[in-house]
Amino acid sequence: MRTRHGDDPPAGGGSAGRPVGLVLTGGGARAAYQVGALAAVLEILDPQARPGFPNPFPIICGTSAGAINAAALACRAHRPHLALRRMRRLWESLETGMVYRADAPGLIGTGVRWLGLLSLGWMMSGRAGKRTQSLLDNSPLADLLGRVLDFDRLQANLSRGFVSALAVTASGYTSGEHLTFYQAGQPIQPWHRFLRRAVPTAIGIDHLMASSAIPFVFPARAVPVHGQLEWCGDGSMRQLAPISPAIHLGAHRVLVIGTGYRDDTHPEKRDAAPPYPTLAQVAGHALSSIFLDSLSVDVERLESTNSLLQHAVLPDGDGMRPVDVLTLTPSQSLDLMALEHLDAMPSEARTLFRVLGVSSEPDRPGGGALMSYLLFEAAYTRRLIELGYADTMRRIEEVTRFFEEARA
């Protein structure tokens, strides 16, 4: 892809040559895959895991759960190997209750009440009481992020050039705009496109909670935008160009780590005369459309643009440049993998999802897509980390060449 210098001012630090931007997409629990892939990338670039090895990603961008991974990496960009070890340790010890309330009182207060309002809302609409905002209560996630992320260290890393910029994205329910919140080591002019706006700010927990607020599943989060509060939801919604923030922040090359398997369209067993889809199947399909489709479209558009511009005759000083992209994605269905580990989830949460139509029965599995985003259990996330590591190590030559060309 080629962009004008006016659209993408240079980053305030990072490596010489052609700066690499890292883009981590959304996907809930699927984002554990990114940790394995990143660990493999660092091992390929620095097999000895040297303590002073520089962060290879001067520009880091993330959406939804990918935003949380991005922030965790940026907060420890001064020691990237240590950052990945800590991220891996956290994901490998994860439990559902660390992300959302999975106990009976918590689920009754959100999920059961929410489902009741869906079915009996016409009877209860006039009753006083607190309005249910979402299927699940993810307040435990905010507590977890407060314990593991050091945003003071993030600012220090930006000031000292260990990382040039961090960006996380969210979708504004109030304005309808797709918002990119970014924090940089040097001033970068915010950009504004159709239904897309960049907002310079000091990134904190509220931005990460907003970026990962899966619609209907987790509650929206209010964050300040130009002096006014904006209710925001998951950044994967209305994300027309997920690679764009990295380019605007100065990336010449972009490594994208996605969470979608190329054949996730219909991974479950199909019958000649399938029954009416369950709520879980519909919800899983909707989430896949939100999290997976925009990245594929953006990568295809970028590759087509690069191909066309290779043969274009551009005037001197035009200010346009190519942007090369390497994409790492799972080599197998995460939907089916999630169903294999459904029993690891707390029984109360399992019961709620079975009401929605989730089943791991061999003769009629269903709801795997939904659970692949919401199964925050170590048995599942460890498998994802292992898969991300193995998939990336099978592409050593591509990864090596990508970074060698960045240093040219």
Side-chain angles (χ1 to χ4, degrees), residues 71 88 91 101 139 190 208 242 254 303 364:
R88 182 165 189 162
W91 277 99
R101 293 281 304 274
S139 57
L208 301 182
V254 180
E303 291 175 345
R364 192 174 293 280

Side-chain angles (χ1 to χ4, degrees), residues 80-342:
H81 285 290
L82 176 62
L84 260 296
R85 284 198 295 271
R86 294 198 173 193
M87 290 166 65
R88 182 165 189 162
R89 188 157 59 242
L90 176 61
W91 277 99
E92 287 184 336
S93 61
L94 207 58
E95 297 177 359
T96 299
M98 297 166 65
V99 179
Y100 57 85
R101 293 281 304 274
D103 58 309
L107 292 175
I108 290 173
T110 55
V112 174
R113 179 178 172 81
W114 190 77
L115 290 175
L117 287 174
L118 282 180
S119 59
L120 300 174
W122 61 276
M123 295 176 59
M124 304 173 65
S125 59
R127 297 187 180 182
K130 183 178 179 181
R131 183 171 56 184
T132 302
Q133 298 175 333
S134 60
L135 177 66
L136 300 171
D137 172 11
N138 64 344
S139 57
L141 176 60
D143 296 336
L144 176 64
L145 297 180
R147 294 195 302 271
V148 302
L149 296 180
D150 184 350
F151 292 101
D152 290 335
R153 181 70 250 187
L154 167 63
Q155 181 56 51
N157 285 339
L158 289 165
S159 300
R160 297 179 62 186
F162 291 114
V163 62
S164 299
L166 169 67
V168 302
T169 59
S171 183
Y173 286 125
T174 311
S175 67
E177 290 183 313
H178 188 265
L179 303 169
T180 297
F181 300 99
Y182 69 95
Q183 186 173 350
Q186 298 292 333
I188 294 178
Q189 187 68 25
W191 59 94
H192 186 200
R193 300 292 183 268
F194 177 69
L195 291 179
R196 289 185 284 150
R197 182 182 297 275
V199 182
T201 188
I203 292 174
I205 292 175
D206 283 341
H207 299 95
L208 301 182
M209 294 296 292
S211 181
S212 58
I214 300 174
F216 300 109
V217 178
F218 296 139
R221 197 81 167 193
V223 294
V225 177
H226 301 308
Q228 295 184 325
L229 283 181
E230 171 96 16
W231 285 100
C232 294
D234 200 289
S236 298
M237 295 187 291
R238 308 195 80 169
Q239 191 171 37
L240 305 177
I243 301 174
S244 173
I247 298 173
H248 280 293
L249 293 171
H252 285 231
R253 303 174 72 79
V254 180
L255 174 65
V256 181
I257 306 182
T259 60
Y261 174 54
R262 63 182 179 275
D263 193 29
D264 259 346
T265 309
H266 297 290
E268 297 167 359
K269 182 179 177 181
R270 302 181 66 185
D271 298 330
Y276 191 83
T278 64
L279 281 175
Q281 288 175 305
V282 174
H285 182 76
L287 292 184
S288 294
S289 298
I290 291 171
F291 285 114
L292 309 180
D293 293 352
S294 61
L295 174 63
S296 300
V297 171
D298 200 26
V299 170
E300 289 176 3
R301 181 171 55 235
L302 188 149
E303 291 175 345
S304 298
T305 303
N306 275 344
S307 178
L308 288 172
L309 290 176
Q310 282 180 353
H311 304 91
V313 178
L314 300 174
D316 292 338
D318 179 82
M320 301 186 76
R321 57 176 172 77
V323 175
D324 299 308
V325 175
L326 175 63
T327 304
L328 304 174
T329 56
S331 61
Q332 57 184 272
S333 172
L334 307 189
D335 300 7
L336 298 178
M337 189 183 297
L339 288 179
E340 293 174 5
H341 297 282
L342 185 61

